[in-house]
Amino acid sequence: MQETILFPGKVEWSGENPGISLKEDPNGPFTTLASFFRVVLSPHGAGHALVLMQSPHEANPPEGAANWCLTDNEPLARWLIAEYLSHFGAFRGIAGLAGLRFRKLDEVKSAGDPRSHYSESVRAGDMTVSMAWQGLGEPFCFAFAPPQSATGKHVMPSLFIGCESAAVTVNGIRRPGAPIPREVAGRKLSTAMLAFCETWLRV
C-alpha cells in the first residue's frame, strides 16, 4: 500500500473555483473573464463570489460593460481578490480590477452533471449572470507545488475538469468570444474549466 500523503502548510481556504476566460481572437486580449468562488472554509467564513470582468483592460468602462464582483460575503471576496485572483494568469496586472464594483448576491444556483454539462447562475438585484460548460472531459486530480501555483506561496491540491465549449451570459445576452487552448498539469484543456475540491495551503 502507498503511504498516506500529508500536504504541508496551513489551510487558508477550501472550496470550488470554476472559471471561464473568453477571447474573440485567439492571439488577442481576453474579452471576458469570469471566476466563480464557492468557499466552504476560510478566515472570513463561507460564501460565494463571482468576479465578472466585461472590460478586463479598462479601469473605468461604460455602465453597460462594467466589471463586477457579486458576493454574499464582501470581506471574503475582497480577500480572495487581493490574495488569490489578482495573481491568476488572466487577471494579473489588468486595469479592470482597479475599478471593480461590488454588489450583494441574492441567489446562487448550480445545475447539470459535471460528467457532461454544468452551470453556475447568480442573481444580484436585476442582474443575472450564468456560466455554462459543455462537453466536459475526464476529471483528474493533482497538486501544484508553490513554484507552480498562482501565488507562488501555496500548495494547491485540486480536481479539474476540462470542457469543449463554454459561455457566459449576462441578463440573457451571451458575452462574445470563446475559450482558447491551454495546458494544466500536463493535460490539454482550455481557458474554461471546472475546479472542484480546491484547497490552498500556505507553506
Side-chain angles (χ1 to χ4, degrees):
M1 294 179 64
Q2 291 184 342
E3 293 183 2
T4 299
I5 299 173
L6 182 62
F7 291 105
K10 177 183 178 182
V11 174
E12 290 205 332
W13 72 270
S14 187
E16 302 173 2
N17 183 212
I20 299 175
S21 299
L22 306 176
K23 288 187 175 187
E24 292 185 277
D25 177 353
N27 297 313
F30 285 107
T31 54
T32 299
L33 302 175
S35 186
F36 176 75
F37 294 87
R38 177 179 285 110
V39 173
V40 297
L41 175 72
S42 85
H44 299 280
H48 304 83
L50 170 61
V51 177
L52 172 66
M53 312 297 292
Q54 299 181 101
S55 303
H57 309 288
E58 296 183 55
N60 298 293
E63 184 69 27
N67 298 313
W68 291 99
C69 177
L70 312 178
T71 182
D72 53 12
N73 184 338
E74 189 169 327
L76 169 63
R78 289 185 179 276
W79 177 74
L80 289 170
I81 292 165
E83 299 295 328
Y84 295 90
L85 183 90
S86 62
H87 299 284
F88 293 177
F91 290 85
R92 191 179 299 122
I94 60 173
L97 284 179
L100 200 61
R101 303 185 189 185
F102 286 77
R103 193 168 183 176
K104 191 178 186 308
L105 269 181
D106 297 310
E107 187 177 43
V108 179
K109 288 183 179 180
S110 59
D113 185 336
R115 293 175 298 180
S116 57
H117 65 280
Y118 187 77
S119 68
E120 293 282 1
S121 297
V122 304
R123 181 175 59 83
D126 60 358
M127 186 178 185
T128 299
V129 182
S130 177
M131 305 169 67
W133 298 261
Q134 301 283 343
L136 292 164
E138 186 72 19
F140 65 100
C141 191
F142 67 99
F144 273 147
Q148 288 77 46
S149 75
T151 64
K153 302 174 183 177
H154 295 82
V155 173
M156 191 202 78
S158 185
L159 183 150
F160 272 24
I161 306 174
C163 69
E164 294 177 357
S165 63
V168 178
T169 59
V170 182
N171 290 341
I173 300 174
R174 183 166 176 159
R175 296 289 303 163
I180 62 167
R182 68 172 292 197
E183 186 176 295
V184 176
R187 301 291 185 100
K188 292 183 178 180
L189 303 176
S190 76
T191 54
M193 66 188 71
L194 300 179
F196 293 150
C197 307
E198 190 168 290
T199 300
W200 292 76
L201 304 99
R202 183 178 288 268
V203 296

